Amino acid sequence: MSYRVPLEDIDFVLNHVVDLPAVAKLNGFQHADPETVRGVLAEASRFFQEVIAPLNRIGDQQGSRLLEDGTVRTPDGFRAAYAKFVEAGWGGAHIPEEWGGGGLPYTVGIVIQEMFKTANMAFALCPLLTHSGIESLREHGSPEQQATYLEKLVTGIWTGTMCLTEPHAGSDVGALSTRAEPRDDGSYRLFGQKIFITWGDHDLTENIIHLVLARTPGSPPGTKGISMFIVPKFVLDAEGRPGVRNDFKVVSLEHKLGIHASPTCVLALGDGGEGAVGYLIGEEHEGMRYMFTMMNTARLGVGLEGLAIGERAYQKALAFARERRQGRALGEATAESALIIEHPDVRRMLTTIKANNEAMRCLFYTAARAHDFSRHADTAEERERNSELLSLLTPIAKAWATDLGVEMASLGLQVHGGMGFVEETGAAQFYRDARIAPIYEGTNGIQAIDLVTRKLPIGNGEVALGLIKEIADTAANAPQELADLAAPLSEAAATLRQATRGLLDSLGRDPNDALAGATPYLRMFGTVLGGWFHLRSAIAASELLAKGEGDEAFLGSRVGLARFYCRQLLPSASALLDAVLAPVDDLAVSNLT
Amino acid sequence: MSYRVPLEDIDFVLNHVVDLPAVAKLNGFQHADPETVRGVLAEASRFFQEVIAPLNRIGDQQGSRLLEDGTVRTPDGFRAAYAKFVEAGWGGAHIPEEWGGGGLPYTVGIVIQEMFKTANMAFALCPLLTHSGIESLREHGSPEQQATYLEKLVTGIWTGTMCLTEPHAGSDVGALSTRAEPRDDGSYRLFGQKIFITWGDHDLTENIIHLVLARTPGSPPGTKGISMFIVPKFVLDAEGRPGVRNDFKVVSLEHKLGIHASPTCVLALGDGGEGAVGYLIGEEHEGMRYMFTMMNTARLGVGLEGLAIGERAYQKALAFARERRQGRALGEATAESALIIEHPDVRRMLTTIKANNEAMRCLFYTAARAHDFSRHADTAEERERNSELLSLLTPIAKAWATDLGVEMASLGLQVHGGMGFVEETGAAQFYRDARIAPIYEGTNGIQAIDLVTRKLPIGNGEVALGLIKEIADTAANAPQELADLAAPLSEAAATLRQATRGLLDSLGRDPNDALAGATPYLRMFGTVLGGWFHLRSAIAASELLAKGEGDEAFLGSRVGLARFYCRQLLPSASALLDAVLAPVDDLAVSNLT
């Protein structure tokens, strides 16, 4: 099997680290008790292992292709697999039932997303973008728009895209120039070019609903003049069925380093002269704000690709290390070659990947839990507190995890030695696929700026400092037997507090100094959170062991991974302090000869 | 221009960090005075910039291909460029004149190698492997063999390969099973399969000289039964000209992640039934020892690819950052988009690459200098001391630099944002090409084991500890104005000493504990060496500034890069201490669920 869903790991994090039972007590989620969730996830695991994962390699080899008629052909097998995905209803698992979804908490939905991404990262981008469209329509669409489009998107019968980027407007969305001209019937006609449109065309569904950012006539420049439009591939007829082909076309597909199955389109809107028919969502000039609505979940979704690639890289490397014989292990009398997993250095690579994966998984489920509490908690105060926590965690989850995804894919490839560099082995695909995640949905540099300039200042740092206090408290109250894990976490939390206070000072003095330290600060924060999750995981495992509950070997491995992370990986966090606090002058352009 | 040789950077390191004038005082190198060397390097720079670098992209796109007749066709332009390379004599620049070379010190030769690798990493592998063959023949070939093959290889009229790996004998060379049967005329016939043979066939020259490891009948198992053979593609006729095609063929080329221009061959020896004609080099069963002879320079050569990719990634990213506009810089009143180099986070990425490149360059030139002194110093003691230093530095240079090469290629790609993921930009090629260097010529895990189990114990650690003392002394004696750089170096040197002593203890107690810490130790050692070189560079620049000599802006940038490295990158070294000293039990296989 090319991918085995790590259900035991997932179950442990859900129930013993992020406390799924507490989520199941929230209003509307009472049916999401651990046993029911276990059943759902077991069924989902079979689907993604058996239907989606086997298409990962062929997706890379064939890629999606632009045919002469201007449509996109997906790789062999994708169409049939997507139909099964829609039929099984996995796409809308965590969307409320009133919108046609399964009504599960996002804390469970994110696990299903993780499975899809791990099974096939390029394929999973299609529902990810659809979800962004769903979020925007739920929050800002008119009742008619919701009635027309929402259920079709939730079920996956149609898919969605986000059309933001233009040749000179990437990270700087406000620089876009696609124009939307109003017509008498209340609709608009759009003209312009959009690039990097993920799954911008394909043959999986009978219609595609593009959400397009554009400027109406006389709009102010920059982000304040941007509006959001629904632009369907086929304009709906009077019965709401796909009718006339809209006036835009796929000009080309990008020739990319990885995620070949995902068609990255250049779209020319209004290329035929008439203009692409579009319908304004909500208010004019509010497009940028609407885009931010869906950004938290989209960024978590992209961040999840870091975990997905890490998990996939781990499983492949572990299987190789258990099969491949090379060299002799020290202290073994036998003349036979050793399995390479017997070499400590190979185990170091595998343990590094595994420990980082567990840390990432805890972070994503924790963020998803905050998402659920931010919408379903009983009190406004608790909803607000969780909303702020989610805001803080989102850029960290996106950037820290996707950077790790690249690093873990690289380590996984290294475990294979020379075979890792040969494409047929498959480890190289993860290394190529992983590299996009730190870039799209806001580059990781943008995430760091978001963290420092928008998230850190919430309540003058109280959300960040409150979280750091929680981390320090966990370390201070850890049982004696875990003191060797708690001590480095205490130290790391203290350094993180110092870095946080230093940045808050800089923000008030010279924000460029804060910007200069943003990236190492984000890395530090993510690394410390990883230590916190591992310690909590070790505490939970120790308690279960003391009670004689659960699988002893599995629980022992949680403590072992936590020990490795806290003692061997966590110290790198504190080493970043000087980089966080160094002045921007250390980055003088005059050094760049 | 796709690659500009950084002659100013190179000149500074040669003359002010590694002291080329001292090399020019060695017996036989008196002609290598700084002015002569400057002229040679300027001429070389034009050649590699204009002739070799432009072929890097087409090499990636076309790749070398196996034709139906079993021969390999190199990408367009390679054949003509190689002929010019031979004509100009760059291949043998640092080989003694008695062997047909240019007689320059290796301290200069390594700069020419750097230029070739940076211009075109895949192409440069061909002369690299040829050099390995030259080393082996120089040291162990008979006078007749030397007379027959050496000048042809030194001039590059023929090329060479090293045939070590077999399907089940990669890192574990001793497991190979290719057999060599003696014939009455003193020659041998070889049968077996060799894989991963770099530039194992091509159309650049009229002959290719393979050095093949194989077993003679009745040889003991493992590394003690291995002998080395000369196996020419075309067996020479009585006049020493390429004659009959030898009995081996290229079965296939690997389909690789990168370095597509470099044909990686599977060779079937004796496939025609007769056996491939081979000539024993030196003594039977000494093949493994002979292979180690050429390993130091081959490993330095591969390590150099880390610098090469780092330099190339830097130049491309810097050019992009100076052209691309996106977003607004803080504190700029203008409404126009800023060049992305104005964003501190982009400068952090560029400064990180640049500072690491400078550190790597210093390390390679220092190792090359030790190589020159190990052969040309006046006293046996000084030769021995430099030989030991080179032995110690070699695994660090190979592994630390090639790991950095991957990381810097990844950072360079990130600077490009979405464009970095599009193959046409070219940044992705560096990311793909870079990934092989930590694997071949001994994986980086093997380098770490070599460092800890073979190099560290030299004189019970006195070579390593002596070097660490030198580092600490440099920090202790640094001028007051550089105290903020010297302080972190002092601390890092102290940690490195502690780690070294700890590993020496482990080696005597449980070597598995030492193996478990080998990789973080190597990383720590490389990182601290980088700090040492940067501080020395800053001291030299400060002295020149005080004297009013040299370009003020350039010298200021040396201090700036050193400050960035010592304050922001160097602290990561000390954070590895716990990982170095942790017991092997932290890497228990039971954690790898």
Side-chain angles (χ1 to χ4, degrees):
Chain A
M1 194 173 293
S2 65
Y3 164 47
R4 179 188 55 79
V5 176
L7 285 173
E8 201 174 7
D9 294 348
I10 290 170
D11 191 270
F12 182 81
V13 175
L14 279 180
N15 287 292
H16 301 293
V17 183
V18 307
D19 197 4
L20 177 65
V23 177
K25 289 199 187 87
L26 293 175
N27 193 19
F29 290 149
Q30 283 82 357
H31 57 298
D33 60 282
E35 270 322 300
T36 304
V37 168
R38 234 164 246 143
V40 169
L41 295 181
E43 195 186 331
S45 72
R46 283 188 293 274
F47 177 79
F48 291 104
Q49 286 171 179
E50 290 161 22
V51 178
I52 303 295
L55 299 175
N56 195 44
R57 182 100 188 92
I58 200 168
D60 183 57
Q61 289 170 313
Q62 291 188 352
S64 281
R65 287 156 296 150
L66 182 60
L67 304 183
E68 290 198 2
D69 66 2
T71 62
V72 171
R73 167 79 52 85
T74 57
D76 294 349
F78 274 55
R79 211 177 135 88
Y82 187 78
K84 287 184 194 168
F85 170 76
V86 172
E87 193 191 334
W90 294 119
H94 66 276
I95 311 289
E97 287 167 339
E98 59 188 292
W99 304 110
L104 287 167
Y106 188 44
T107 310
V108 178
I110 203 168
V111 181
I112 296 170
Q113 287 188 337
E114 173 194 332
M115 291 184 199
F116 202 157
K117 285 173 182 297
T118 315
N120 197 322
M121 173 176 156
F123 201 169
L125 281 164
C126 188
L128 176 71
L129 273 296
T130 305
H131 272 293
S132 297
I134 293 168
E135 292 277 324
S136 301
L137 282 168
R138 270 178 69 177
E139 298 289 324
H140 312 293
S142 68
E144 291 74 20
Q145 289 170 340
Q146 292 175 343
T148 307
Y149 298 103
L150 214 40
E151 193 177 328
K152 289 280 202 289
L153 291 170
V154 168
T155 55
I157 288 171
W158 298 344
T159 70
T161 79
M162 295 300 302
C163 301
L164 282 59
T165 305
E166 298 180 7
H168 286 278
S171 298
D172 185 7
V173 179
L176 66 83
S177 64
T178 292
R179 64 183 210 280
E181 297 174 355
R183 290 292 183 267
D184 292 344
D185 65 356
S187 71
Y188 289 76
R189 295 294 179 276
L190 278 72
F191 300 87
Q193 196 181 60
K194 293 287 180 180
I195 63 170
F196 292 144
I197 308 308
T198 299
W199 286 91
D201 193 47
H202 57 75
D203 54 8
L204 304 180
T205 57
E206 61 175 358
N207 210 357
I208 301 171
I209 310 305
H210 302 277
L211 295 195
V212 181
L213 295 187
R215 296 185 179 285
T216 48
S219 293
T223 53
K224 287 174 189 151
I226 294 175
S227 307
M228 186 182 277
F229 298 87
I230 298 169
V231 180
K233 177 175 176 182
F234 293 96
V235 180
L236 305 189
D237 64 17
E239 281 78 43
R241 289 173 313 207
V244 182
R245 181 68 171 86
N246 208 345
D247 179 20
F248 63 87
K249 68 173 189 187
V250 181
V251 177
S252 61
L253 298 190
E254 301 295 346
H255 173 217
K256 305 189 302 297
L257 174 62
I259 54 165
H260 294 157
S262 166
T264 305
C265 302
V266 176
L267 291 187
L269 297 153
D271 202 53
E274 289 180 27
V277 176
Y279 310 103
L280 182 69
I281 296 182
E283 302 289 321
E284 223 178 327
H285 302 162
E286 293 289 338
M288 199 67 187
R289 190 167 67 78
Y290 298 168
M291 199 187 69
F292 275 106
T293 311
M294 59 84 194
M295 210 166 254
N296 273 346
T297 48
R299 289 186 166 177
L300 282 185
V302 167
L304 208 48
E305 294 174 0
L307 167 60
I309 287 287
E311 179 67 39
R312 200 68 190 262
Y314 173 74
Q315 293 194 16
K316 185 174 270 298
L318 181 64
F320 186 85
R322 283 175 168 161
E323 271 173 17
R324 171 80 172 170
R325 293 185 173 276
Q326 196 81 174
R328 273 151 199 73
L330 262 189
E332 295 291 325
T334 167
E336 196 188 18
S337 289
L339 292 171
I340 64 169
I341 200 172
E342 294 179 46
H343 299 303
D345 190 68
V346 172
R347 288 207 302 280
R348 166 175 297 286
M349 293 190 267
L350 292 168
T351 311
T352 300
I353 309 176
K354 179 79 184 172
N356 276 316
N357 288 349
E358 292 305 311
M360 286 191 264
R361 182 171 290 121
C362 291
L363 176 55
F364 285 107
Y365 296 3
T366 298
R369 179 192 200 274
H371 182 271
D372 287 328
F373 273 78
S374 75
R375 296 193 175 186
H376 292 259
D378 283 340
T379 67
E381 190 212 331
E382 205 177 356
R383 288 194 296 275
E384 176 67 12
R385 201 163 53 75
N386 277 281
S387 174
E388 288 175 349
L389 177 63
L390 175 63
S391 287
L392 177 73
L393 294 180
T394 298
I396 302 172
K398 196 280 177 177
W400 177 66
T402 55
D403 278 346
L404 279 182
V406 172
E407 295 165 29
M408 297 309 106
S410 182
L411 262 188
L413 187 155
Q414 182 74 17
V415 170
H416 294 78
M419 293 307 298
F421 200 66
V422 173
E423 283 286 1
E424 282 73 10
T425 308
Q429 183 189 344
F430 305 144
Y431 178 74
R432 290 187 285 97
D433 286 354
R435 197 63 198 75
I436 186 59
I439 294 171
Y440 59 15
E441 202 55 45
T443 64
N444 285 0
I446 302 262
Q447 304 299 326
I449 293 171
D450 176 56
L451 174 65
V452 167
T453 64
R454 291 200 200 95
K455 307 304 171 61
L456 205 52
I458 303 173
N460 195 29
E462 71 176 11
V463 177
L465 291 167
L467 181 58
I468 296 166
K469 182 171 184 311
E470 264 195 84
I471 297 170
D473 288 349
T474 304
N477 299 319
Q480 186 52 38
E481 74 208 74
L482 299 174
D484 63 327
L485 288 69
L489 183 61
S490 282
E491 192 192 315
T495 314
L496 180 60
R497 185 183 295 117
Q498 194 183 342
T500 303
R501 292 208 167 116
L503 286 182
L504 286 165
D505 278 355
S506 297
L507 283 170
R509 211 181 46 235
D510 181 355
N512 270 313
D513 282 345
L515 289 180
T519 285
Y521 178 69
L522 187 151
R523 177 80 179 206
M524 180 193 278
F525 214 138
T527 307
V528 175
L529 285 171
W532 185 43
F533 293 128
H534 268 296
L535 181 59
R536 287 163 59 191
S537 167
I539 292 171
S542 296
E543 285 171 1
L544 288 167
L545 280 168
K547 284 192 266 182
E549 290 173 16
D551 177 335
E552 204 172 320
F554 177 81
L555 294 170
S557 73
R558 299 307 96 171
V559 179
L561 290 169
R563 174 162 284 121
F564 175 80
Y565 187 98
C566 290
R567 301 208 318 189
Q568 303 209 27
L569 303 182
L570 183 54
S572 69
S574 297
L576 295 167
L577 182 66
D578 291 343
V580 172
L581 299 181
V584 70
D585 296 347
D586 274 14
L587 304 173
V589 74
S590 57
N591 294 332
L592 302 173
T593 57
Chain B
M1 191 174 294
S2 65
Y3 163 48
R4 178 188 57 77
V5 176
L7 285 172
E8 201 174 7
D9 294 349
I10 289 169
D11 191 89
F12 182 81
V13 175
L14 278 180
N15 287 293
H16 301 293
V17 183
V18 308
D19 196 5
L20 178 65
V23 176
K25 289 200 187 89
L26 293 175
N27 192 20
F29 291 148
Q30 282 82 358
H31 57 297
D33 61 283
E35 271 320 303
T36 304
V37 168
R38 235 166 243 140
V40 169
L41 295 182
E43 195 186 332
S45 73
R46 285 188 292 276
F47 177 78
F48 291 104
Q49 286 171 177
E50 291 161 22
V51 178
I52 303 295
L55 299 175
N56 195 43
R57 182 102 186 91
I58 199 168
D60 183 56
Q61 289 170 314
Q62 292 188 352
S64 282
R65 288 157 295 150
L66 182 60
L67 304 184
E68 289 199 3
D69 67 1
T71 64
V72 171
R73 168 79 51 83
T74 57
D76 293 350
F78 274 55
R79 212 178 133 88
Y82 187 79
K84 287 184 194 167
F85 170 77
V86 172
E87 193 191 335
W90 293 120
H94 66 277
I95 309 289
E97 287 168 337
E98 60 188 289
W99 304 110
L104 286 167
Y106 187 45
T107 309
V108 178
I110 203 167
V111 181
I112 296 170
Q113 287 189 337
E114 174 194 334
M115 292 184 198
F116 202 157
K117 285 172 184 298
T118 316
N120 198 320
M121 173 175 157
F123 201 169
L125 280 165
C126 188
L128 175 71
L129 273 295
T130 304
H131 273 293
S132 296
I134 293 168
E135 291 276 323
S136 301
L137 283 168
R138 270 178 69 179
E139 298 288 322
H140 310 293
S142 67
E144 294 73 21
Q145 289 170 341
Q146 292 175 344
T148 308
Y149 298 103
L150 216 40
E151 194 178 327
K152 290 278 200 293
L153 291 171
V154 168
T155 54
I157 289 173
W158 298 344
T159 69
T161 79
M162 295 300 301
C163 301
L164 282 60
T165 305
E166 300 180 9
H168 287 277
S171 299
D172 183 8
V173 179
L176 67 81
S177 65
T178 293
R179 63 184 210 278
E181 296 174 357
R183 289 291 184 266
D184 291 345
D185 65 356
S187 70
Y188 289 76
R189 295 296 178 277
L190 278 71
F191 300 87
Q193 195 180 60
K194 293 288 179 180
I195 63 169
F196 292 144
I197 307 309
T198 300
W199 286 91
D201 194 47
H202 58 75
D203 54 8
L204 304 180
T205 57
E206 60 175 358
N207 210 357
I208 302 171
I209 311 304
H210 302 278
L211 296 195
V212 181
L213 295 187
R215 295 184 180 286
T216 48
S219 293
T223 54
K224 288 175 187 147
I226 294 175
S227 306
M228 185 183 275
F229 298 87
I230 299 170
V231 179
K233 177 175 176 183
F234 292 97
V235 180
L236 305 188
D237 64 19
E239 280 78 43
R241 291 174 310 212
V244 182
R245 179 69 170 87
N246 208 345
D247 178 20
F248 64 86
K249 68 173 190 187
V250 181
V251 177
S252 62
L253 298 190
E254 300 297 346
H255 172 218
K256 304 189 303 296
L257 174 63
I259 56 166
H260 294 157
S262 166
T264 305
C265 302
V266 176
L267 292 186
L269 298 154
D271 202 51
E274 290 180 28
V277 176
Y279 310 104
L280 181 69
I281 296 182
E283 302 290 320
E284 221 179 330
H285 302 163
E286 294 289 335
M288 199 68 188
R289 188 167 69 78
Y290 298 168
M291 199 187 70
F292 275 105
T293 311
M294 58 85 191
M295 211 165 252
N296 273 345
T297 46
R299 289 186 166 177
L300 282 184
V302 167
L304 207 48
E305 294 173 1
L307 167 60
I309 287 287
E311 180 66 39
R312 199 70 190 262
Y314 173 74
Q315 292 193 17
K316 184 171 270 298
L318 181 64
F320 185 84
R322 281 176 169 160
E323 272 173 17
R324 171 79 174 170
R325 292 186 175 276
Q326 195 80 174
R328 279 159 192 69
L330 262 189
E332 296 291 325
T334 169
E336 196 187 20
S337 289
L339 292 172
I340 65 168
I341 199 171
E342 293 180 47
H343 298 302
D345 190 68
V346 172
R347 289 208 301 280
R348 167 175 296 286
M349 292 190 269
L350 292 168
T351 311
T352 301
I353 308 177
K354 179 78 182 172
N356 275 317
N357 288 349
E358 292 305 311
M360 285 190 265
R361 183 171 288 120
C362 291
L363 175 55
F364 286 107
Y365 297 3
T366 297
R369 177 192 202 275
H371 181 271
D372 287 328
F373 273 77
S374 76
R375 295 190 175 188
H376 293 257
D378 283 341
T379 66
E381 190 211 331
E382 207 178 355
R383 289 196 295 274
E384 175 67 12
R385 203 165 51 78
N386 278 280
S387 174
E388 288 174 348
L389 177 63
L390 175 61
S391 287
L392 177 72
L393 293 181
T394 298
I396 301 172
K398 195 279 175 177
W400 178 66
T402 55
D403 278 346
L404 279 181
V406 172
E407 295 166 28
M408 297 307 106
S410 182
L411 261 187
L413 187 155
Q414 182 73 18
V415 170
H416 294 79
M419 293 306 298
F421 200 66
V422 173
E423 283 286 0
E424 282 72 9
T425 307
Q429 184 189 343
F430 305 144
Y431 177 74
R432 289 186 287 98
D433 285 355
R435 197 62 196 75
I436 186 58
I439 295 172
Y440 58 14
E441 202 55 47
T443 65
N444 285 0
I446 302 262
Q447 304 298 327
I449 293 171
D450 176 55
L451 173 65
V452 167
T453 64
R454 292 198 199 96
K455 306 304 170 61
L456 205 52
I458 304 175
N460 196 29
E462 73 176 10
V463 177
L465 290 168
L467 181 58
I468 295 166
K469 183 173 185 309
E470 264 194 84
I471 297 170
D473 287 349
T474 304
N477 298 322
Q480 186 52 37
E481 76 210 71
L482 298 174
D484 63 328
L485 287 70
L489 184 61
S490 281
E491 192 192 316
T495 313
L496 180 60
R497 186 183 294 117
Q498 194 183 342
T500 304
R501 293 209 167 117
L503 286 181
L504 287 165
D505 277 355
S506 297
L507 283 171
R509 212 180 44 233
D510 180 356
N512 270 311
D513 281 345
L515 289 180
T519 286
Y521 178 69
L522 187 151
R523 177 81 179 206
M524 179 192 279
F525 213 138
T527 307
V528 175
L529 284 170
W532 184 42
F533 293 127
H534 268 294
L535 181 59
R536 287 163 59 190
S537 167
I539 291 170
S542 297
E543 286 171 0
L544 290 166
L545 281 167
K547 284 191 266 182
E549 290 174 16
D551 176 335
E552 204 172 320
F554 176 81
L555 294 169
S557 73
R558 298 307 96 170
V559 179
L561 290 169
R563 175 162 283 121
F564 175 80
Y565 188 98
C566 290
R567 301 211 314 189
Q568 302 208 29
L569 303 183
L570 183 54
S572 69
S574 297
L576 295 167
L577 182 65
D578 290 344
V580 173
L581 299 181
V584 71
D585 296 346
D586 275 13
L587 304 173
V589 75
S590 57
N591 294 332
L592 302 174
T593 58

